[in-house]
Amino acid sequence: MKISLSRLLTLFLVGISALPVIAMAVLILMMNSDIRAIAEAEFDRMDERNARRLAADTLEMCAIIQGARDSAAENARRILLSELARLGHARLLDTSAEAEISAEGSAGESRAAKIPELAFGDEKLLPVLDGQKRIVGASGKVAKILDSLKSDTGLEFAILLRVNDAGDMLRVASTVEGPDGGRHVGTYIPAAGAEGSQIVRALLSKRAYSGVSHSGNMDFIANYEPLVGLNGNVIGAVCCGSLQNSYGYILKYFEDIRFGASGFAWAAELSEGGVAVWRASKDGKLDGMPVEADGAEGRRAAMLEIIADAARLGDGKIGVRRFRISESGREGEVTSVYGYFRPWNMVVGVNSYSADSFEAMSRISRSGERFIFFLLPLGALMLGFAAFAARMAAARGAEMTGGLVDASNMMRDGNLRGERRSRAGEGRVPDGDDQYLQVYGRQGAGRVHQYRRRKLHDQLHARNQREEIRSGSRRSDV
């Protein structure tokens, strides 16, 4: 099958024009898939890097707050010990008073006990009893010193008395006020028990203790200093500290934090007995709830493992763990970055969701697809213009090529004068390019062949006439 020159040129030019559009579309598709893979890996790294930075910043903030508290508490402790030292050395008197006391956390279960009297030099610390022989306060110069220090520093102070050989430490004087307005006294820190054993064990070893202390419904960041009697034995302790409202600072710090569309910052406090309690959670829905009571089984199991791992890593260390979760109808991988702050016995962390990265990557893919769809009409316009230009160029090229072919045929036939018969065969006319094409080039191959036969016949006839003229001349010479 033969293709005309004009069609061939049109197809060639349209193909040349289509190549850039096709190449651009293919390149964008390839780049789109590459960008998605690169973005997926990069988003994962960015999420973990940013989560690490946020967790580290949170731990640093906790350390700054605790450092300020420790500095204030250390100054207050020195002042308290200095004031008590002015009164004299701590000692137990031979006299005692009978009172009803109860262990910390079990106020309803009281027992009668003989409470030895404590004195600093000659100044006695006298417990105040109500009608049921319960300790409701303290009197004397020592109690006034505690109240004065609270007024000056804003911290809380207490004096504890060892009531038995086991080492139970009874609060006989305190500046802490309970919900009913009374002083928080008459309860003792038992020597047995997870938290009590830590505090009492440190005091009985004549070591100071700093950390979280639970008293009734209140939590404290407390510093305990042992009181050593004249015989070298520990007879009690002094305590200074402040209410544990640290998670209030955490909540304030976390409330404006947005980690992607679904990510959030969280905090869990390890309370008495090792039970973890949510202090800051997503949207505050779990605040105050034990982690073990979380209804989302996958999240509960993962968070318990994370909290245990954070405590195992130690103070200020950052850990990372990934787990899958089904939450609010969404399933996906969660990256949790966390750290443990020992002074508050608290684990803080940041959870980021891989689904947020998938949404971002989907937006990138959709942008690439929209650009490709934008190229389609643009490519169609480019191809249409190319086809029109190619058609015009092909027509002009065909005219030029046809003229060259006919001129070549005229030179081959010896028609150098450029003359031909008219369309009707009458007379001879100048052989211009436009006129020649108009008469012969557009008549078809048959007309051209007919013209060539007629031209050949004329040439033969002219040659015969020349031969006859030459023959006649020779005869007349003879």
Side-chain angles (χ1 to χ4, degrees), residues 85-106:
R86 287 181 182 180
L87 299 178
H89 201 284
R91 61 193 179 93
L92 293 179
L93 303 179
D94 294 334
T95 58
S96 62
E98 188 171 331
E100 293 288 327
I101 61 175
S102 59
E104 190 68 67
S106 59

Side-chain angles (χ1 to χ4, degrees), residues 410-423:
M410 290 168 61
M411 294 175 64
R412 184 190 62 191
D413 296 337
N415 187 13
L416 300 179
R417 295 175 60 188
E419 295 180 347
R420 67 176 188 275
R421 295 181 182 274
S422 65
R423 183 180 300 181

Side-chain angles (χ1 to χ4, degrees), residues 336-473:
S336 185
V337 180
Y338 49 88
Y340 176 60
F341 190 63
R342 184 181 176 280
W344 297 355
N345 206 17
M346 183 177 290
V347 180
V348 296
V350 179
N351 285 1
S352 63
Y353 289 73
S354 59
D356 294 343
S357 300
F358 294 153
E359 292 176 2
M361 288 183 288
S362 297
R363 288 195 294 270
I364 293 174
S365 297
R366 288 194 296 269
S367 298
E369 292 170 358
R370 283 195 298 269
F371 186 70
I372 293 174
F373 290 147
F374 171 75
L375 283 179
L376 291 178
L378 180 62
L381 289 175
M382 292 176 62
L383 293 178
F385 177 77
F388 174 74
R391 182 65 180 173
M392 294 184 64
R396 183 59 181 165
E399 291 177 359
M400 295 175 62
T401 304
L404 291 174
V405 171
D406 289 336
S408 176
N409 290 334
M410 290 168 61
M411 294 175 64
R412 184 190 62 191
D413 296 337
N415 187 13
L416 300 179
R417 295 175 60 188
E419 295 180 347
R420 67 176 188 275
R421 295 181 182 274
S422 65
R423 183 180 300 181
E426 299 176 356
R428 310 188 71 85
V429 295
D431 193 12
D433 289 343
D434 295 338
Q435 294 176 351
Y436 182 82
L437 289 173
Q438 190 175 21
V439 176
Y440 295 105
R442 297 177 184 175
Q443 301 297 323
R447 294 296 300 275
V448 173
H449 183 62
Q450 183 180 2
Y451 161 73
R452 289 176 177 173
R453 290 179 60 188
R454 186 183 301 115
K455 188 174 182 180
L456 181 60
H457 180 270
D458 292 343
Q459 290 175 350
L460 291 174
H461 181 70
R463 188 174 62 182
N464 290 336
Q465 286 182 342
R466 289 194 295 273
E467 290 295 332
E468 290 178 358
I469 293 172
R470 291 193 191 99
S471 298
S473 297

